Amino acid sequence: QVQLVQSGAEVKKPGASVHVSCKASGYNFTGYYMHWVRQAPGQGLEWMGWINPNSGGTNYAQKFQGRVTMTRDTSISTAYMELSSLRSDDTAVYYCARVVYSNYGENLDYWGQGTLVTVSS
Amino acid sequence: DIQMTQSPSSLSASVGDRVTITCRASQSISSHLNWYQQIPGKAPKLLIYAASSLQSGVPSRFSGSGSGTDFTLTISSLQPEDFATYYCQQSYSTPITFGQGTRLEIK
């Protein structure tokens, strides 16, 4: 069965970087784009960008341009999201999610369990 | 960016009720609309894709409709496990955007 297993919770100081991993299993990792979505405490869902695990190509939301880097290691079927220059408002749960395409665009059919990143001095 | 607006923001209902949640896009998105359910402390779960297609494994009491700018998610007969927050999401253009969520609570 498809599974996305993310790395554990992190506590970071303002200005630091965080590195979150997402290990995929149960499907062909390079056959599906991976998106990253975050959710601040008590708030809604915010799209951050995607990575094409086959080519390594990426597309980031403008809000995160210059601060986010998405990479992958196909040998271990793992996607990574690094966010730098952390601020307190980056405190959120970060999710990876697999994308499938229908005739009407992409939808996120499998999600990781989430990684809580807390930014605090 | 395409703005997605859900209504209501919260809703109280009883087991067995029929419930409808609406989602409006700031411009036409054809049928590029998905619905997710999120239980507190859990990841979102895909319910409906392409506005009206039921994701595999999702109970048939969930249905979606609409196209263009106006969409609805209907739960025909609420079950205890349906009390959660629901989000719409457009996939018409990048950036992907979500509605603010509708919290469904037990009356």
Side-chain angles (χ1 to χ4, degrees):
Chain A
Q1 71 285 17
V2 174
Q3 279 194 304
L4 300 175
V5 179
Q6 298 184 223
S7 49
E10 302 261 14
V11 179
K12 296 292 183 180
K13 294 192 181 302
S17 298
V18 69
H19 202 69
V20 179
S21 67
C22 171
K23 182 170 178 58
S25 61
Y27 73 98
N28 175 20
F29 176 66
T30 58
Y32 297 80
Y33 283 35
M34 191 76 77
H35 286 221
W36 289 87
V37 175
R38 76 176 186 179
Q39 185 171 38
Q43 301 302 307
L45 301 166
E46 181 176 34
W47 179 76
M48 299 181 69
W50 56 250
I51 182 168
N52 176 348
N54 187 43
S55 66
T58 55
N59 185 14
Y60 304 141
Q62 187 169 11
K63 174 177 180 176
F64 300 102
Q65 290 272 1
R67 283 210 301 144
V68 71
T69 304
M70 297 177 188
T71 57
R72 91 292 188 215
D73 184 338
T74 58
S75 69
I76 56 172
S77 298
T78 300
Y80 302 94
M81 187 282 299
E82 181 177 23
L83 188 63
S84 62
S85 303
L86 289 169
R87 308 183 287 256
S88 58
D89 62 358
D90 290 318
T91 294
V93 176
Y94 290 76
Y95 294 102
C96 60
R98 190 185 82 159
V99 170
V100 290
Y101 290 86
S102 71
N103 289 338
Y104 293 100
E106 63 260 68
N107 59 76
L108 309 176
D109 70 337
Y110 284 93
W111 295 62
Q113 82 277 17
T115 297
L116 175 62
V117 175
T118 303
V119 183
S120 174
S121 55
Chain B
D1 299 0
I2 297 175
Q3 306 302 315
M4 307 300 294
T5 304
Q6 290 181 232
S7 60
S9 295
S10 63
L11 174 60
S12 294
S14 301
V15 172
D17 283 354
R18 179 183 180 91
V19 167
T20 297
I21 297 168
T22 66
C23 178
R24 175 164 289 177
S26 60
Q27 66 182 74
S28 178
I29 57 171
S30 183
S31 294
H32 292 68
L33 191 283
N34 305 314
W35 289 97
Y36 300 85
Q37 175 195 63
Q38 188 177 33
I39 292 168
K42 300 293 186 181
K45 172 187 174 183
L46 178 65
L47 298 176
I48 302 285
Y49 64 93
S52 60
S53 296
L54 193 67
Q55 174 69 354
S56 176
V58 174
S60 59
R61 63 181 180 272
F62 291 92
S63 64
S65 66
S67 66
T69 60
D70 295 314
F71 302 86
T72 61
L73 172 70
T74 299
I75 310 171
S76 61
S77 178
L78 275 173
Q79 299 301 301
E81 60 268 29
D82 299 337
F83 292 93
T85 299
Y86 294 84
Y87 294 93
C88 61
Q89 172 243 319
Q90 66 81 18
S91 58
Y92 185 80
S93 67
T94 299
I96 287 172
T97 47
F98 294 86
Q100 82 279 14
T102 294
R103 184 176 177 183
L104 180 52
E105 300 174 319
I106 299 174
K107 184 183 287 184

